[in-house]
Every structure is written in C-alpha cells, then in structure tokens.
Amino acid sequence: MFSSKGLGAKKGLEFLGLTFLSLLFVTSFQSKALINIFFLLSFVTSIIYITFFNRAFFRENKYVWLFIGPYILGFILGFFSENGVIGSIEFLQQFRFMIIIFPLACFVKSKKEMIFLLIMVYASAIIAIFYGIYKNQPYGGFHGFHTIGRTADMLVVLLLASLAYMIQSRFTFNLKSNIGKFILLGTAVTFAWAIIMTEMRGAWLGVFIGVCSLITGLFFLKQKWLAFSLLLLIMASSVTFLKTYKNIDIIKNQIASISDTQNNLSNKIRLQLWKTGWDFSKEQFFFGTGVNKSNDMYTKFFDKQADSYKEKYQYIIHNMRDYHNSYLQIHVETGFVFFIIYITSIAVYLLYFIKRIQKIPFEDRKYPLSAIACSLAFLSIQFFHSELYSYGSTSFYLIIFAALYILNENEKLTVHS
C-alpha cells in the first residue's frame, strides 16, 4: 500500500510520516488527545524530512503556501494583539490544523496513499456511528465518541464527498468497480442518518447547501444526466425516510425553527452573541484580543455597559465563552487584518478548483468537485458552529488536500507532456 517501503532514512521517514497521518485520521472521530499526538509527530517528521531529503518541497507543492502563508502571518500579527507575545504563541496552537496540509503534501506520494487516508477517516466515522448505536444514543443526543457539533460537521463533509466520489465515477459492468460504488452509497446513507440523529440544524442546512452546489457543479461540467441522477437518488432516499421514520414531526419542527428568531431560544442567544460580539470587536478591531484572551476582555466589556444594554442582551451572561460563529470568533481573537487574509486564502483555492476542474480527466474531477461542495457546506455551517480551526476541521482539510494533490499532479503531467 505505502510507496515508502524500503531501506534508508528517506524511505523510513516517508513510511513513518504516512503512518502517523494514518493513525491521526483513523482516530479523528475518537480522540482529541490522539489527534494532537499524531499531528505533532507527523509535522515534526515532515520538517526533518524536508530539511534533509526534499529541499524542492515548496517549489513542487506551491499550494501549501495558501495555508502556511496565512499561518505565519497570523503568528506575526499576534504580536500586535491585546495579548502580545502570548497571543502569537496561542495562535500557533489554536490554528494548528491549518497546516495539516504540510505533512499531507510531504508524505502522500501517490493517489493510492491519498485514497488510503480517505478510507481511514471514513472508517473512523463509521466506528463513531456504531459506537453511538451500541450506546443507544437517542435522537438529539447522538454524537458517537465526541460532542455533537464536531461529529455532525465532520459527517457533513464526508457525506458530500461520498456523493461526489460516487456520482462522478464511471459506471461500468465491472463488478469490482461497482462494489466500491455500493459501499460509498451505503456509507452516504449511514452518514445522512447519523447527521439527522445529531439534531444539529446548522449541519442540516450545510447538507442542503452542499447538495445544491454538487448539482450546480454537475450542470457546470455539462453533466446534466448525472445531476438529475443525484437529484433522483436524494429524492428517493428522502421519501423513503419520510415514510418510515417515526419522529418525522420532530425533524419538521426543527427545520422550521432554523429561521425562527422570535421564539427559539437557541437562535435568540446566537443573535445576541453575534451582536454583542461585534460591538466588542470594535475595541480591538484590527489585531484582535489575541487567542484565548477574548473571554476575560469580553466579560469586562459587558460589565461596563449600561443597564439597558445588559437587559436587552440578557442571555449573554451565561454564554460568554463561545460566539457559535467561527468567523466572528476569528475576527474577535485575531483581528480584521488576519480575518481578511484567511478568507482570501479560502477564496483563492475555491477559485482555483473552479478554474481547473474542466481541464483534468473525468475520473479526477470528483476530487475538486467534492472539495467545492464540502467547502461551501462546511464554511456555511461555521456561521453557527466553531469548528473552522478546531478538531472538526481535520476531515475538511483532508478533502481539500485531495483536490489540491490531484490538480497539482495533473499540472505536473501537463508541464512534462
């Protein structure tokens, strides 16, 4: 399976780095501690590998600068935050998963190895789901090993990737090829069920946005019959679910509550957090509070407000640690300057996917198509959750890497042909 088998320090480091990444992704739904350990080991191994054996790494994999560049700039800008030097150090830790792309680009040497890592994260998700079933976790409390938000957000990414990989693969009479597609279909159905069971409305909205972007992408690629096939598949699955699931009225009420800003307490708290968080951000607008500093400063900010302000935003007093919005959290903690840099880097790779997707072979198009759909879905969910730079982003960055790797390899072939 691994291209790094063999003797010598270089081959040994390649094998070791890919092993650490495999362990990271196979535990990505199970253990935050193991994620941290294997991420650190893979990152350190990649630094050693590049230093001694691959000086051309940055020239051969220019796309890594889309992630490493903002990471370095964020660290530098942290010195200007309210938390100063500590803010910069905390930034490196808090935003570390931005640079998971670094060891991935370093140690993935073939499409087979990339697919193997994808299988690892899918296996981790399946284990988490069946753990939840074994523990008889109920609707609204279903989360596998970890908290609901993180599990749901990661499952949305993998569900959309499953649909893209399946619908964008050639359908043949080859039994071996079709077995893989049936496995993906079964996996997608399982993930969809688990996402519904979590009762995370933001994740449900993300699935809708992701599916719409998938169908739009297929029309953009002039594959109308595939777009209609995906639409029919989703409609058939939805009708079957609606006819068989006993708690369907609860789900309907939850969907209706997404836009309810008057009676739904969760929505009211979020809106108050966003409004007061924005007001608070103006006090350190450009460079932020510094990572992990905002909570104390926010409390002091709220305490000095007029009684009328406190009464108007009364729900905030018990919900000060998390804005439930990744973008506001990033803006408050790192400032407007880094926020713009970060969003620009995301826009650049999305435009790159859209620009290049029609210029690569059909079988490879599923990777950038998946990355586009997953990005739009995951990024939209982060208006309500805080996983954009946390543990929930690991599977997201793997899907992004898969697209970047495929496009980079195709560009190399174009240059040498």
Side-chain angles (χ1 to χ4, degrees):
M1 174 61 70
F2 298 106
S3 65
S4 55
K5 288 181 178 179
L7 300 174
K10 181 179 179 180
K11 293 293 183 182
L13 282 172
E14 289 175 352
F15 178 78
L16 197 61
L18 196 56
T19 299
F20 289 145
L21 286 170
S22 301
L23 292 170
L24 186 161
F25 286 110
V26 83
T27 58
S28 58
F29 278 81
Q30 279 73 47
S31 172
K32 294 179 181 180
L34 290 177
I35 292 173
N36 287 329
I37 291 169
F38 293 127
F39 169 76
L40 178 62
L41 289 172
S42 64
F43 183 77
V44 171
T45 306
S46 66
I47 295 295
I48 296 171
Y49 179 78
I50 291 171
T51 302
F52 292 100
F53 299 109
N54 192 1
R55 300 289 180 83
F57 172 80
F58 293 103
R59 186 170 65 251
E60 295 173 353
N61 304 280
K62 294 178 182 178
Y63 60 85
V64 299
W65 286 108
L66 285 171
F67 304 88
I68 295 174
Y71 189 68
I72 294 172
L73 289 172
F75 168 71
I76 295 171
L77 291 170
F79 287 99
F80 300 96
S81 71
E82 295 294 321
N83 212 15
V85 175
I86 301 299
S88 290
I89 295 172
E90 292 280 5
F91 175 89
L92 294 178
Q93 190 277 334
Q94 182 83 328
F95 287 81
R96 63 195 179 282
F97 295 116
M98 283 176 60
I99 56 170
I100 199 172
I101 205 89
F102 191 77
L104 283 169
C106 192
F107 295 122
V108 173
K109 302 293 184 181
S110 69
K111 188 186 290 187
K112 284 185 177 180
E113 292 174 351
M114 182 191 73
I115 292 173
F116 180 77
L117 292 181
L118 289 169
I119 291 172
M120 290 295 97
V121 77
Y122 273 82
S124 184
I126 292 294
I127 292 169
I129 290 171
F130 279 93
Y131 173 85
I133 294 172
Y134 171 73
K135 287 292 187 178
N136 198 28
Q137 293 174 347
Y139 171 79
F142 188 88
H143 55 76
F145 284 86
H146 281 305
T147 56
I148 297 171
R150 175 171 172 262
T151 303
D153 292 6
M154 294 172 74
L155 286 175
V156 168
V157 169
L158 297 184
L159 166 64
L160 293 169
S162 302
L163 293 174
Y165 294 161
M166 179 177 60
I167 204 72
Q168 197 66 8
S169 297
R170 295 189 187 279
F171 287 83
T172 67
F173 292 103
N174 184 291
L175 180 61
K176 184 178 179 181
S177 174
N178 289 332
I179 287 174
K181 295 180 183 68
F182 278 115
I183 291 173
L184 272 177
L185 178 59
T187 301
V189 171
T190 305
F191 288 173
W193 173 84
I195 292 167
I196 292 171
M197 289 295 291
T198 63
E199 198 186 338
M200 297 301 292
R201 298 169 300 156
W204 297 354
L205 182 62
V207 170
F208 176 77
I209 291 171
V211 167
C212 288
S213 62
L214 266 181
I215 293 172
T216 303
L218 290 171
F219 276 107
F220 174 74
L221 293 170
K222 299 179 180 179
Q223 296 171 339
K224 295 181 181 179
W225 67 277
L226 283 178
F228 286 121
S229 298
L230 179 59
L231 188 59
L232 288 172
L233 172 66
I234 292 168
M235 290 175 63
S237 301
S238 300
V239 169
T240 303
F241 182 80
L242 290 171
K243 293 291 185 181
T244 58
Y245 192 58
K246 62 181 180 180
N247 292 328
I248 198 65
D249 288 337
I250 299 175
I251 293 175
K252 289 179 180 177
N253 291 335
Q254 283 292 87
I255 292 174
S257 73
I258 290 175
S259 59
D260 182 1
T261 59
Q262 299 300 317
N263 302 310
N264 187 274
L265 182 59
S266 175
N267 292 350
K268 290 167 74 172
I269 291 174
R270 275 188 169 85
L271 289 173
Q272 290 195 11
L273 280 171
W274 297 349
K275 176 60 172 68
T276 58
W278 174 253
D279 291 343
F280 170 59
S281 73
K282 295 174 184 177
E283 296 197 347
Q284 54 286 315
F285 190 79
F286 290 103
F287 301 109
T289 64
V291 174
N292 292 334
K293 182 70 173 177
S294 65
N295 189 49
D296 292 337
M297 294 181 63
Y298 182 75
T299 303
K300 293 176 182 177
F301 158 81
F302 192 79
D303 286 343
K304 70 180 183 181
Q305 301 305 309
D307 289 341
S308 58
Y309 187 93
K310 294 177 183 178
E311 184 177 352
K312 184 177 181 180
Y313 302 109
Q314 57 185 297
Y315 296 116
I316 301 305
I317 194 66
H318 301 297
N319 299 274
M320 289 187 173
R321 292 185 178 275
D322 186 353
Y323 296 104
H324 294 280
N325 184 312
S326 287
Y327 305 102
L328 181 59
Q329 195 87 30
I330 291 173
H331 170 53
V332 168
E333 294 189 348
T334 63
F336 182 73
V337 177
F338 174 75
F339 176 80
I340 292 298
I341 292 170
Y342 185 76
I343 295 300
T344 300
S345 69
I346 292 174
V348 168
Y349 74 65
L350 282 174
L351 290 172
Y352 176 63
F353 293 156
I354 294 170
K355 180 181 178 181
R356 296 293 304 171
I357 192 170
Q358 290 182 305
K359 301 178 181 180
I360 61 175
F362 175 85
E363 278 295 323
D364 286 343
R365 288 181 182 178
K366 57 191 173 189
Y367 297 105
L369 179 63
S370 168
I372 293 168
C374 291
S375 294
L376 294 176
F378 188 77
L379 295 173
S380 65
I381 296 171
Q382 301 321 305
F383 278 102
F384 314 100
H385 299 170
S386 302
E387 295 296 331
L388 187 54
Y389 51 86
S390 188
Y391 293 92
S393 65
T394 51
S395 56
F396 169 67
Y397 282 125
L398 179 60
I399 300 298
I400 298 301
F401 165 75
L404 289 168
Y405 175 82
I406 289 296
L407 292 172
N408 194 49
E409 291 301 300
N410 275 280
E411 283 190 357
K412 289 179 183 177
L413 291 174
T414 302
V415 170
H416 289 100
S417 62

